[in-house]
Amino acid sequence: MSKQSVVVIGAGVIGLTVANQLQEDGKYAVTIVAEHVPDSLPAGTRESSGWASPWAGAHWRAWSANWDHWLQDMELQTYHSMNEIADRVPESGIKKAQGLDYFEALPDGETPWYVSKVNDVRELPTSELPMGIIYGLEYSTVLINVPQYLAYLKNKFTGMGGIIEQRALDHIEEALLFDATSRNEPNGKTPIVVNCAALGNRMLGGVCDASMRPVRGQTLIVNAPDAKRTLTRIGSQFGYVIPRGDGTVVLGGSAEAGSWDEEEDMKTTQQILQRTQALEPSLLPSSMLELDESERVRALRANIVSVGVGFRPMREGGVRLETQEYVDSVSGKPFTVVHCYGHAGYG
């Protein structure tokens, strides 16, 4: 019995994850077509800002509201799946770590929903809270070295027989040209297309989703081998510290809706350094903790490896996860598209 052909548009974390799940199921012959794919870059070459995944931190922490049970379910599935991968596949780039969330205010005055769902939870006493923080939660989470994770997902997919074609599409219909099954079986089933094109959906013909917006994020990667836990401060002084597990740490961040500026903003860099050195003392050797703030910031700046700017694919109204029926303008045959995009900074 022939397999159902599926064409996935996009090779970021979302696209590769969808493709792996389908290929692993055994019922589908999956091809990924994407403008950007995970590859080793020549020394000194900068990753394209045309896709978001390589610029991500990343770690697991919940962003869903206490009332949003649909999103909570997805976040919990991700939490458990990534913990399982961390245990089973050390080369995946996912590692377990201690997480710490600091809240300047609690939404609706309620404690976060995940306090009863994640592992090794400890609510911090007032004596341990930094200035300006009213609630702190410590728990077990995972760190994701995203470039390494992308390579793992790509290799897993191709190792199962999946096909990757690096090509930019102008119209969603063009995905049908990469139908692996029809190459050998012209009379086979019409392929299913899974649209994981993120910000590309602003201009992709047949979609042209005007609700897609970039949210510019600037991060710093620093050498800080003593930093082992991930911390996030939620509020007006937003910032985060995410170790990559290789001695480097991602420091952030910023969230500028609608900005396409790819250049480093020096003011943002200074702000990130100030906030994160206050958030996590272990970013610097213990011998430097007695220095004043300006000296600590200067010392941390000296450890910068690179400055990154990426664009989170935010969609007004939230993630689009639905099917849509199309008709191929060439063959006249109907085909189904599953839209899966708009995950912003928490894909």
Side-chain angles (χ1 to χ4, degrees):
M1 186 170 123
S2 63
K3 295 181 179 181
Q4 170 67 56
S5 179
V6 177
V7 180
V8 176
I9 305 174
V13 168
I14 300 296
L16 282 166
T17 299
V18 168
N20 269 285
Q21 291 292 107
L22 293 173
Q23 188 74 13
E24 195 167 28
D25 185 87
K27 300 176 184 176
Y28 306 97
V30 185
T31 299
I32 295 173
V33 57
E35 181 177 3
H36 305 286
V37 300
D39 271 316
S40 298
L41 296 175
T45 303
R46 179 183 173 88
E47 184 61 78
S48 171
S49 61
W51 59 325
S53 287
W55 302 98
H59 59 181
W60 185 96
R61 72 168 306 275
W63 287 101
S64 53
N66 283 3
W67 52 265
D68 193 344
H69 301 295
W70 181 69
L71 186 53
Q72 289 173 21
D73 286 343
M74 288 193 286
E75 289 185 330
L76 272 182
Q77 288 181 42
T78 301
Y79 178 80
H80 293 303
S81 294
M82 288 198 158
N83 270 278
E84 189 270 334
I85 294 172
D87 287 334
R88 185 173 51 84
V89 193
E91 67 272 19
S92 65
I94 301 178
K95 298 179 184 294
K96 291 184 177 181
Q98 182 187 73
L100 187 56
D101 293 345
Y102 287 132
F103 291 82
E104 295 177 9
L106 287 173
D108 303 319
E110 299 177 350
T111 56
W113 65 270
Y114 56 97
V115 67
S116 61
K117 303 293 185 181
V118 294
N119 301 327
D120 306 318
V121 169
R122 185 174 74 95
E123 294 179 291
L124 301 186
T126 304
S127 60
E128 294 183 30
L129 299 179
M131 185 178 298
I133 299 299
I134 68 164
Y135 180 81
L137 185 66
E138 182 182 274
Y139 57 99
S140 176
T141 187
V142 291
L143 310 173
I144 305 100
N145 183 326
V146 180
Q148 186 177 345
Y149 186 51
L150 286 169
Y152 158 74
L153 290 173
K154 175 189 173 185
N155 292 336
K156 180 183 177 185
F157 176 67
T158 56
M160 293 188 293
I163 298 169
I164 298 178
E165 300 277 4
Q166 187 166 8
R167 201 76 58 87
L169 302 182
D170 293 321
H171 196 285
I172 198 164
E173 282 186 12
E174 295 173 18
L176 301 179
L177 300 174
F178 300 91
D179 170 14
T181 301
S182 66
R183 291 171 183 165
N184 302 316
E185 301 178 32
N187 297 319
K189 300 176 183 176
T190 304
I192 296 170
V193 176
V194 184
N195 175 15
C196 303
L199 280 173
N201 284 298
R202 295 173 64 255
M203 303 299 292
L204 181 63
V207 183
C208 294
D209 191 338
S211 63
M212 289 299 297
R213 297 283 188 276
V215 178
R216 181 185 182 275
Q218 181 170 314
T219 60
L220 315 177
I221 296 179
V222 300
N223 278 318
D226 292 337
K228 305 297 184 186
R229 60 183 183 173
T230 179
L231 302 92
T232 306
R233 177 169 177 146
I234 301 98
S236 62
Q237 300 296 306
F238 173 67
Y240 54 82
V241 174
I242 307 176
R244 277 187 155 175
D246 60 0
T248 64
V249 179
V250 179
L251 307 181
S254 66
E256 301 153 61
S259 173
W260 287 103
D261 187 359
E262 297 183 19
E263 299 302 316
E264 175 188 2
D265 180 81
M266 299 303 295
K267 183 178 178 181
T268 300
T269 294
Q270 179 71 8
Q271 185 180 76
I272 291 171
L273 291 169
Q274 290 173 331
R275 291 180 179 178
T276 54
Q277 64 81 27
L279 194 59
E280 179 54 288
S282 67
L283 288 171
L284 292 170
S286 56
S287 60
M288 293 186 174
L289 297 183
E290 299 303 318
L291 300 175
D292 64 29
E293 180 187 8
S294 62
E295 291 173 318
R296 292 196 305 272
V297 168
R298 189 159 51 248
L300 188 56
R301 180 184 291 275
N303 292 335
I304 293 177
V305 176
S306 63
V307 179
V309 175
F311 303 98
R312 305 174 182 96
M314 188 272 288
R315 183 173 183 270
E316 294 176 10
V319 175
R320 186 180 186 188
L321 185 58
E322 62 183 1
T323 60
Q324 183 177 359
E325 300 303 318
Y326 286 78
V327 176
D328 181 6
S329 61
V330 176
S331 69
K333 291 182 179 180
F335 67 99
T336 300
V337 173
V338 181
H339 296 292
C340 181
Y341 64 87
H343 297 80
Y346 37 88

mmCIF file of all heavy atoms in Angstrom, residues 7-24:
data_model
loop_
_atom_site.group_PDB
_atom_site.id
_atom_site.type_symbol
_atom_site.label_atom_id
_atom_site.label_comp_id
_atom_site.label_asym_id
_atom_site.label_seq_id
_atom_site.Cartn_x
_atom_site.Cartn_y
_atom_site.Cartn_z
ATOM 1 N N VAL A 7 4.153 17.196 2.064
ATOM 2 C CA VAL A 7 5.193 18.196 1.834
ATOM 3 C C VAL A 7 5.110 19.221 2.950
ATOM 4 O O VAL A 7 4.066 19.863 3.135
ATOM 5 C CB VAL A 7 5.039 18.888 0.463
ATOM 6 C CG1 VAL A 7 6.154 19.922 0.268
ATOM 7 C CG2 VAL A 7 5.055 17.858 -0.661
ATOM 8 N N VAL A 8 6.190 19.357 3.703
ATOM 9 C CA VAL A 8 6.264 20.320 4.793
ATOM 10 C C VAL A 8 7.040 21.537 4.311
ATOM 11 O O VAL A 8 8.168 21.404 3.803
ATOM 12 C CB VAL A 8 6.957 19.719 6.032
ATOM 13 C CG1 VAL A 8 7.114 20.772 7.132
ATOM 14 C CG2 VAL A 8 6.168 18.522 6.559
ATOM 15 N N ILE A 9 6.457 22.710 4.444
ATOM 16 C CA ILE A 9 7.144 23.953 4.065
ATOM 17 C C ILE A 9 7.793 24.529 5.317
ATOM 18 O O ILE A 9 7.108 24.873 6.279
ATOM 19 C CB ILE A 9 6.161 24.975 3.478
ATOM 20 C CG1 ILE A 9 5.385 24.383 2.304
ATOM 21 C CG2 ILE A 9 6.911 26.234 3.043
ATOM 22 C CD1 ILE A 9 4.289 25.295 1.767
ATOM 23 N N GLY A 10 9.119 24.630 5.305
ATOM 24 C CA GLY A 10 9.840 25.199 6.442
ATOM 25 C C GLY A 10 10.680 24.156 7.152
ATOM 26 O O GLY A 10 10.210 23.048 7.426
ATOM 27 N N ALA A 11 11.926 24.519 7.471
ATOM 28 C CA ALA A 11 12.851 23.602 8.131
ATOM 29 C C ALA A 11 13.410 24.190 9.415
ATOM 30 O O ALA A 11 14.543 23.914 9.802
ATOM 31 C CB ALA A 11 14.000 23.218 7.194
ATOM 32 N N GLY A 12 12.599 25.031 10.079
ATOM 33 C CA GLY A 12 12.951 25.443 11.432
ATOM 34 C C GLY A 12 12.543 24.353 12.411
ATOM 35 O O GLY A 12 12.214 23.226 12.026
ATOM 36 N N VAL A 13 12.561 24.672 13.697
ATOM 37 C CA VAL A 13 12.221 23.667 14.707
ATOM 38 C C VAL A 13 10.808 23.126 14.490
ATOM 39 O O VAL A 13 10.572 21.910 14.590
ATOM 40 C CB VAL A 13 12.369 24.255 16.123
ATOM 41 C CG1 VAL A 13 11.753 23.322 17.160
ATOM 42 C CG2 VAL A 13 13.844 24.485 16.448
ATOM 43 N N ILE A 14 9.839 23.997 14.169
ATOM 44 C CA ILE A 14 8.466 23.541 13.972
ATOM 45 C C ILE A 14 8.369 22.608 12.766
ATOM 46 O O ILE A 14 7.822 21.501 12.851
ATOM 47 C CB ILE A 14 7.506 24.730 13.800
ATOM 48 C CG1 ILE A 14 7.531 25.639 15.036
ATOM 49 C CG2 ILE A 14 6.082 24.238 13.533
ATOM 50 C CD1 ILE A 14 7.050 24.996 16.306
ATOM 51 N N GLY A 15 8.895 23.040 11.621
ATOM 52 C CA GLY A 15 8.815 22.224 10.416
ATOM 53 C C GLY A 15 9.515 20.890 10.566
ATOM 54 O O GLY A 15 8.981 19.842 10.163
ATOM 55 N N LEU A 16 10.723 20.893 11.114
ATOM 56 C CA LEU A 16 11.470 19.650 11.293
ATOM 57 C C LEU A 16 10.790 18.717 12.288
ATOM 58 O O LEU A 16 10.796 17.494 12.108
ATOM 59 C CB LEU A 16 12.894 19.956 11.748
ATOM 60 C CG LEU A 16 13.853 20.416 10.651
ATOM 61 C CD1 LEU A 16 15.118 21.017 11.251
ATOM 62 C CD2 LEU A 16 14.222 19.244 9.728
ATOM 63 N N THR A 17 10.199 19.280 13.340
ATOM 64 C CA THR A 17 9.500 18.447 14.324
ATOM 65 C C THR A 17 8.288 17.769 13.692
ATOM 66 O O THR A 17 8.070 16.563 13.863
ATOM 67 C CB THR A 17 9.075 19.291 15.533
ATOM 68 O OG1 THR A 17 10.243 19.852 16.159
ATOM 69 C CG2 THR A 17 8.329 18.439 16.557
ATOM 70 N N VAL A 18 7.495 18.546 12.947
ATOM 71 C CA VAL A 18 6.325 17.980 12.266
ATOM 72 C C VAL A 18 6.768 16.886 11.293
ATOM 73 O O VAL A 18 6.190 15.785 11.257
ATOM 74 C CB VAL A 18 5.553 19.088 11.517
ATOM 75 C CG1 VAL A 18 4.521 18.485 10.578
ATOM 76 C CG2 VAL A 18 4.885 20.026 12.507
ATOM 77 N N ALA A 19 7.801 17.173 10.497
ATOM 78 C CA ALA A 19 8.270 16.206 9.502
ATOM 79 C C ALA A 19 8.754 14.917 10.154
ATOM 80 O O ALA A 19 8.482 13.810 9.658
ATOM 81 C CB ALA A 19 9.379 16.830 8.664
ATOM 82 N N ASN A 20 9.472 15.035 11.260
ATOM 83 C CA ASN A 20 9.956 13.849 11.964
ATOM 84 C C ASN A 20 8.812 13.002 12.500
ATOM 85 O O ASN A 20 8.823 11.774 12.395
ATOM 86 C CB ASN A 20 10.891 14.259 13.099
ATOM 87 C CG ASN A 20 12.342 14.324 12.681
ATOM 88 O OD1 ASN A 20 12.999 13.303 12.517
ATOM 89 N ND2 ASN A 20 12.849 15.533 12.499
ATOM 90 N N GLN A 21 7.826 13.663 13.101
ATOM 91 C CA GLN A 21 6.700 12.928 13.665
ATOM 92 C C GLN A 21 5.961 12.149 12.577
ATOM 93 O O GLN A 21 5.585 10.985 12.772
ATOM 94 C CB GLN A 21 5.731 13.889 14.357
ATOM 95 C CG GLN A 21 6.274 14.535 15.630
ATOM 96 C CD GLN A 21 6.454 13.519 16.746
ATOM 97 O OE1 GLN A 21 7.577 13.128 17.088
ATOM 98 N NE2 GLN A 21 5.353 13.085 17.329
ATOM 99 N N LEU A 22 5.761 12.765 11.429
ATOM 100 C CA LEU A 22 5.034 12.110 10.343
ATOM 101 C C LEU A 22 5.858 10.987 9.715
ATOM 102 O O LEU A 22 5.346 9.896 9.448
ATOM 103 C CB LEU A 22 4.639 13.137 9.285
ATOM 104 C CG LEU A 22 3.608 14.186 9.721
ATOM 105 C CD1 LEU A 22 3.436 15.251 8.642
ATOM 106 C CD2 LEU A 22 2.271 13.537 10.047
ATOM 107 N N GLN A 23 7.132 11.257 9.471
ATOM 108 C CA GLN A 23 7.992 10.237 8.855
ATOM 109 C C GLN A 23 8.133 9.025 9.773
ATOM 110 O O GLN A 23 8.126 7.881 9.322
ATOM 111 C CB GLN A 23 9.367 10.841 8.537
ATOM 112 C CG GLN A 23 10.277 9.950 7.726
ATOM 113 C CD GLN A 23 9.869 9.866 6.260
ATOM 114 O OE1 GLN A 23 9.052 10.642 5.780
ATOM 115 N NE2 GLN A 23 10.431 8.899 5.534
ATOM 116 N N GLU A 24 8.230 9.281 11.058
ATOM 117 C CA GLU A 24 8.398 8.205 12.034
ATOM 118 C C GLU A 24 7.140 7.336 12.139
ATOM 119 O O GLU A 24 7.213 6.151 12.468
ATOM 120 C CB GLU A 24 8.744 8.802 13.398
ATOM 121 C CG GLU A 24 9.284 7.819 14.404
ATOM 122 C CD GLU A 24 9.891 8.512 15.614
ATOM 123 O OE1 GLU A 24 9.469 9.647 15.949
ATOM 124 O OE2 GLU A 24 10.791 7.922 16.243
#
